[in-house]
Amino acid sequence: MSKVPEMLTSRAVPGVGPGKDAHRRHLGALLRHVHLRGPASRTELADRMGLNRSTIMALTAELTSAGLVREELPDQTGRAGRPSLVVRPESDRVFVLAFDVAVDRLVAARVGLGGTILDRREAVRPRAGADLDSVVEVLAGLGRRVAGTAGPGSVCVGVGASYCGMIRPGDGMVRFGPDMGWVDQAFGAELGRRLGLGLPVPVGNEGHLGALAEYERGAGVGFPNLIYLHGDVGVGGGIIVGGKLLNGDGGYGCELGHMLVNPYNGRPCGCGSRGCLEAEVGERALLDAARRPADLTGRDAVRAVVDAADRGDPLARAALDHIGDWLGIGVANLINLFNPGLVVFGGMLRDVYRGSATQVRTRLTANVLAVSRERVLLRTSALGDDATLIGAAELAFAPLLADPTGEHSGGRHPAEAGTAR
Amino acid sequence: MSKVPEMLTSRAVPGVGPGKDAHRRHLGALLRHVHLRGPASRTELADRMGLNRSTIMALTAELTSAGLVREELPDQTGRAGRPSLVVRPESDRVFVLAFDVAVDRLVAARVGLGGTILDRREAVRPRAGADLDSVVEVLAGLGRRVAGTAGPGSVCVGVGASYCGMIRPGDGMVRFGPDMGWVDQAFGAELGRRLGLGLPVPVGNEGHLGALAEYERGAGVGFPNLIYLHGDVGVGGGIIVGGKLLNGDGGYGCELGHMLVNPYNGRPCGCGSRGCLEAEVGERALLDAARRPADLTGRDAVRAVVDAADRGDPLARAALDHIGDWLGIGVANLINLFNPGLVVFGGMLRDVYRGSATQVRTRLTANVLAVSRERVLLRTSALGDDATLIGAAELAFAPLLADPTGEHSGGRHPAEAGTAR
């Protein structure tokens, strides 16, 4: 069996490590490939990774013995001849726990390697003002329940969480969570402690993680420059620039919901300012414009307005036209700044965009420079309500994918990690 | 003399070429270092590049024999002992021609390796409506004059141009030049033809090039996430994200001047819309707010308003407060989106910011999320009126720096290129 050649002179070239590094990168790339793109034959993998088949065979054997993939006969192909074995991620056996703290709900899921949601539980979010302890307690309970339905021999290789606020990279500190009024709350550390799995809990902003999820396995595959707008009562987002998330200096970039679009008589915003995009197109703005009762909230209420407009209700129609105009201004500004190939509307904004696409496009025609308007596409999220949850799962899988059989990945090797029960 | 080791197994690792590539990268890195950071001793270069001194000596010898650097005794250091030789770029001998097409002027310069402007000529811009031919003719004339003052034996290794419009990467096509009403004009190709040097003329947007210049050798050195706002009658910009210019999908990103900030009663903008940042803070907006005559234009007129405000003129003060508020809104939105470490005000906006810093900062306090406000710095351009010109020179030097002694660089080896006279 051939081996991946060692890099004999690697130290002479900055950025290239010794042979072990190259081998680890190849293992990670193969595992990442089947994780993101699904089962593939050795021939396909060799083609896509630019490696020869004997190298692929050696890598596959190593991942198989680590319990991360298996090789099996493909589904019926209809072609004659002996079918080539396909490499398939061990989706039922290898999983992560993913958490999603949205403004209106708490979610936990067991997500298998390959991105399949194996089990998912949801709770209504404790009301505004709830402290760290009470939120973490509910999440840990949900987490234990989804982990508890895992089959014997399955292993938890990571944990990740999405949070609707500004998150410090590295330690999962919530720097600012406007919905709860949280400032500098050690959310990631506390959730990790409460889960008691001995695994770190990386945390990401919901808009960032939604963008990454759509880029890696949703509507944005193949679009290295994309803007993801996420509606979750308010409005957040994530922006992919040249295939990478725009983090900014401290990890707090992409706060497109706080773009000031209405400097005169703007609606008050949760950030303390007025006239932010989030204040003008968020859930409350739409429901108020449609003259719904002040105590009515939630995604069902938003969908009801969009459905009413579809049926010709003039009040709902006018509300969506109004909101769509502000949304169009925000999107036009973003297109002028980022010249993206794609704009994705996610979360609650899927429905809002569905109900106001004409108004949004009218604004783009008026305000986007022609050369940036030439090729940009507008789509709704392919991952739907689970985009942020899937993004959290990807955060959890990242250490395993970086070093599938190693000890330095920050994750746990399946053979070493306990089952999460 | 030791050699850079060859990469024996380079083909096995994607992204790593054969030994020649590594050698070329090292040559380029050394030349780039002295080009951007100035003369340096072999010891310093070895430290900064992570290579041993014998490798540095070999690289330096090769660059010296190519006529790109020379080694000489350092300036008086005050230290005892035998001084170490310093490697110095051949600034007087090796030059590029750089052009700057601003809204209000045309500039050509001879810029030496190391970034020194050796000669510089300026002409008043032909008035709006001028066609490609007349603009290129003036530029080529200026170019010939600055090239003509080069000493015997000096060589032109490249040409580059900055243009105040949207430029297609690759061929220097002006897709949209609002000031002249240009659409799809082959500016780069035509200037190259008219110069007759047999060198291509890469072209960049003025805001993009100003940003790159400030990042590489100006106020932004060490700030991999920075926003550069460029005032040139209107407002453009360039945004550096993770050390790279934000180009977007087609190269048309960073159009921050067309961020819609005033959706009600906005001033008309050259793009055909109303209420863009450029319309609210551009030269005309300031002069109108200060009730200057409608036929008064230019940077001197802008400076006169700022100076008048400094002296306590209430009309000028009110005008700058008004403009500063809009500028602050634009900058606040950009900081929320990009979480940069630095914002740089360049071109005419240096003066506007100088005269309205209080108003700008008041807006940042009101509209930037606290965690993104924590560390961001605001500065004026270090390269002043020449930021875009220096950016154009860097564009011209790029092929030489990528492959200092090669044939595949797209530039010309000094020994092969004719003198530009």
Side-chain angles (χ1 to χ4, degrees):
Chain A
M1 205 176 297
S2 95
K3 278 197 161 185
V4 176
E6 295 259 328
M7 301 290 294
L8 298 177
T9 60
S10 57
R11 288 204 164 266
V13 181
V16 177
K20 260 189 182 171
D21 285 354
H23 181 64
R24 191 171 58 205
R25 276 200 305 277
H26 288 160
L27 279 174
L30 198 161
L31 186 60
R32 188 177 168 80
H33 197 287
V34 298
H35 170 64
L36 289 179
R37 302 287 162 258
S41 72
R42 287 179 193 162
T43 312
E44 288 169 321
L45 290 168
D47 282 356
R48 291 177 196 166
M49 293 177 62
L51 298 172
N52 62 39
R53 286 194 63 184
S54 58
T55 302
I56 295 290
M57 203 189 295
L59 295 169
T60 305
E62 196 169 340
L63 292 173
T64 302
S65 77
L68 296 168
V69 303
R70 62 179 189 278
E71 292 188 280
E72 58 183 28
L73 287 173
D75 300 335
Q76 191 64 33
T77 62
R79 276 191 282 169
R82 199 170 67 120
S84 172
L85 291 177
V86 298
V87 181
R88 192 179 287 276
E90 285 280 12
S91 301
D92 291 332
R93 210 184 78 78
V94 180
F95 69 89
V96 297
L97 293 182
F99 295 91
D100 185 10
V101 180
V103 175
D104 59 358
R105 61 197 174 138
L106 301 174
V107 188
R110 184 160 49 87
V111 179
L113 190 64
T116 314
I117 296 179
L118 302 168
D119 193 6
R120 183 187 191 286
R121 309 282 165 114
E122 191 169 322
V124 173
R125 177 83 186 261
R127 71 176 180 285
D131 66 3
L132 179 64
D133 265 1
S134 63
V135 170
V136 165
E137 188 180 331
V138 175
L139 285 172
L142 292 173
R144 274 188 289 274
R145 285 165 61 195
V146 295
T149 59
S154 56
V155 286
C156 177
V157 296
V159 185
S162 167
Y163 189 94
C164 53
M166 301 178 87
I167 307 300
R168 184 162 67 197
D171 66 357
M173 172 79 80
V174 174
R175 294 297 316 281
F176 182 47
D179 61 310
M180 288 280 179
W182 286 9
V183 172
D184 292 341
Q185 296 289 307
F187 170 66
E190 194 54 31
L191 180 56
R193 199 186 62 75
R194 194 75 67 106
L195 285 169
L197 295 170
L199 291 167
V201 183
V203 184
N205 165 275
E206 60 177 355
H208 293 192
L209 294 181
L212 283 169
E214 292 291 338
Y215 174 56
E216 294 196 331
R217 52 168 80 246
V221 172
F223 289 89
N225 298 291
L226 76 80
I227 293 167
Y228 173 78
L229 292 103
H230 184 76
D232 170 20
V233 184
V235 173
I239 299 165
I240 307 287
V241 174
K244 288 190 175 169
L245 179 72
L246 168 67
N247 273 308
D249 236 39
Y252 309 122
C254 309
E255 284 292 339
L256 52 87
H258 298 285
M259 183 195 301
L260 179 58
V261 290
N262 187 357
Y264 302 112
N265 310 312
R267 292 171 57 92
C269 182
C271 73
S273 179
R274 304 181 77 94
C276 296
L277 181 64
E278 144 166 339
E280 303 298 339
V281 309
E283 180 180 304
R284 192 71 256 147
L286 178 67
L287 296 175
D288 284 354
R291 299 196 204 147
R292 297 303 196 256
D295 59 348
L296 188 68
T297 60
R299 297 190 190 190
D300 288 343
V302 170
R303 280 187 202 111
V305 173
V306 176
D307 292 343
D310 272 353
R311 290 190 309 267
D313 177 317
L315 192 58
R317 183 68 265 151
L320 278 160
D321 286 354
H322 175 75
I323 298 295
D325 191 47
W326 289 116
L327 183 57
I329 288 175
V331 173
N333 286 349
L334 292 169
I335 295 175
N336 281 331
L337 280 171
F338 290 96
N339 182 212
L342 177 70
V343 177
V344 179
F345 298 91
M348 180 268 290
L349 285 179
R350 280 178 297 155
D351 300 300
V352 174
Y353 175 68
R354 179 164 65 85
S356 64
T358 306
Q359 203 65 27
V360 170
R361 288 178 183 277
T362 300
R363 266 295 174 187
L364 301 195
T365 303
N367 288 97
V368 176
L369 295 160
V371 298
S372 277
R373 216 169 53 222
E374 279 171 350
R375 291 190 308 181
V376 66
L377 300 176
L378 278 68
R379 288 183 184 164
T380 52
S381 159
L383 302 171
D385 282 336
D386 287 324
T388 49
L389 189 68
I390 295 287
E394 295 304 328
L395 212 54
F397 278 119
L400 178 74
L401 297 173
D403 188 5
T405 60
E407 305 164 294
H408 308 293
S409 64
R412 304 276 293 274
H413 186 281
E416 293 159 17
T419 59
R421 287 188 288 179
Chain B
M1 204 178 293
S2 96
K3 279 195 160 185
V4 177
E6 296 258 328
M7 301 290 294
L8 299 177
T9 60
S10 57
R11 289 203 165 267
V13 180
V16 177
K20 261 189 181 171
D21 286 354
H23 181 63
R24 192 171 58 207
R25 276 200 304 277
H26 287 160
L27 279 174
L30 199 161
L31 186 60
R32 188 178 169 78
H33 197 288
V34 297
H35 170 64
L36 290 178
R37 301 287 162 256
S41 72
R42 288 180 194 162
T43 312
E44 288 169 321
L45 290 168
D47 281 355
R48 291 177 196 167
M49 294 176 62
L51 298 173
N52 61 42
R53 285 192 64 181
S54 57
T55 302
I56 295 290
M57 203 189 294
L59 294 170
T60 303
E62 197 169 341
L63 292 173
T64 302
S65 76
L68 296 168
V69 302
R70 64 179 189 277
E71 292 189 279
E72 58 184 28
L73 287 174
D75 302 333
Q76 190 65 33
T77 62
R79 274 191 282 169
R82 198 170 67 117
S84 174
L85 291 177
V86 298
V87 181
R88 193 180 287 275
E90 285 280 10
S91 300
D92 291 332
R93 211 184 76 77
V94 180
F95 70 87
V96 296
L97 293 182
F99 296 92
D100 185 11
V101 181
V103 174
D104 58 359
R105 61 194 175 140
L106 301 174
V107 188
R110 184 160 49 86
V111 180
L113 190 64
T116 313
I117 295 180
L118 301 168
D119 193 7
R120 183 186 191 286
R121 309 282 165 116
E122 191 168 322
V124 174
R125 178 82 186 262
R127 70 175 181 285
D131 65 2
L132 179 64
D133 264 2
S134 63
V135 170
V136 164
E137 190 180 329
V138 176
L139 285 173
L142 293 174
R144 274 188 290 272
R145 284 166 61 196
V146 295
T149 58
S154 57
V155 287
C156 176
V157 296
V159 185
S162 167
Y163 191 94
C164 53
M166 301 177 87
I167 308 301
R168 185 162 67 196
D171 66 357
M173 173 78 82
V174 175
R175 295 297 316 281
F176 182 48
D179 61 310
M180 289 280 179
W182 286 9
V183 173
D184 292 342
Q185 296 289 306
F187 170 66
E190 194 52 33
L191 180 55
R193 198 186 62 75
R194 194 73 69 103
L195 286 170
L197 296 170
L199 291 167
V201 182
V203 184
N205 165 275
E206 61 177 354
H208 292 192
L209 293 181
L212 282 169
E214 291 292 338
Y215 174 56
E216 294 196 332
R217 51 168 81 246
V221 172
F223 289 90
N225 299 290
L226 76 81
I227 293 167
Y228 172 77
L229 292 103
H230 184 75
D232 169 20
V233 185
V235 173
I239 299 165
I240 307 287
V241 174
K244 290 191 173 165
L245 179 72
L246 168 67
N247 274 309
D249 235 39
Y252 310 123
C254 308
E255 286 292 340
L256 52 87
H258 299 285
M259 182 195 302
L260 179 58
V261 290
N262 187 358
Y264 302 112
N265 309 314
R267 292 171 58 92
C269 182
C271 73
S273 179
R274 304 181 77 93
C276 297
L277 181 64
E278 141 165 341
E280 303 298 339
V281 309
E283 179 181 304
R284 193 70 257 147
L286 177 67
L287 296 175
D288 285 353
R291 298 194 205 149
R292 297 304 196 254
D295 58 350
L296 188 70
T297 59
R299 297 190 190 190
D300 288 343
V302 169
R303 280 187 201 112
V305 174
V306 176
D307 291 343
D310 271 354
R311 290 192 307 268
D313 177 315
L315 193 59
R317 183 68 266 149
L320 278 161
D321 286 354
H322 175 76
I323 299 295
D325 192 46
W326 289 117
L327 183 58
I329 288 175
V331 172
N333 286 349
L334 292 168
I335 295 175
N336 281 331
L337 280 171
F338 290 95
N339 182 213
L342 177 70
V343 177
V344 179
F345 297 92
M348 181 267 292
L349 286 179
R350 278 177 299 153
D351 299 301
V352 173
Y353 175 68
R354 178 164 65 84
S356 65
T358 305
Q359 202 64 28
V360 170
R361 288 178 183 276
T362 300
R363 265 297 173 186
L364 302 195
T365 305
N367 288 97
V368 176
L369 294 160
V371 297
S372 277
R373 216 168 53 221
E374 277 171 353
R375 289 190 307 181
V376 66
L377 301 176
L378 278 68
R379 289 183 184 165
T380 52
S381 160
L383 302 171
D385 281 336
D386 287 325
T388 51
L389 188 69
I390 294 288
E394 294 304 326
L395 212 54
F397 278 119
L400 178 73
L401 297 174
D403 188 6
T405 60
E407 304 163 296
H408 307 294
S409 64
R412 304 273 294 275
H413 186 280
E416 294 159 17
T419 60
R421 285 189 289 180

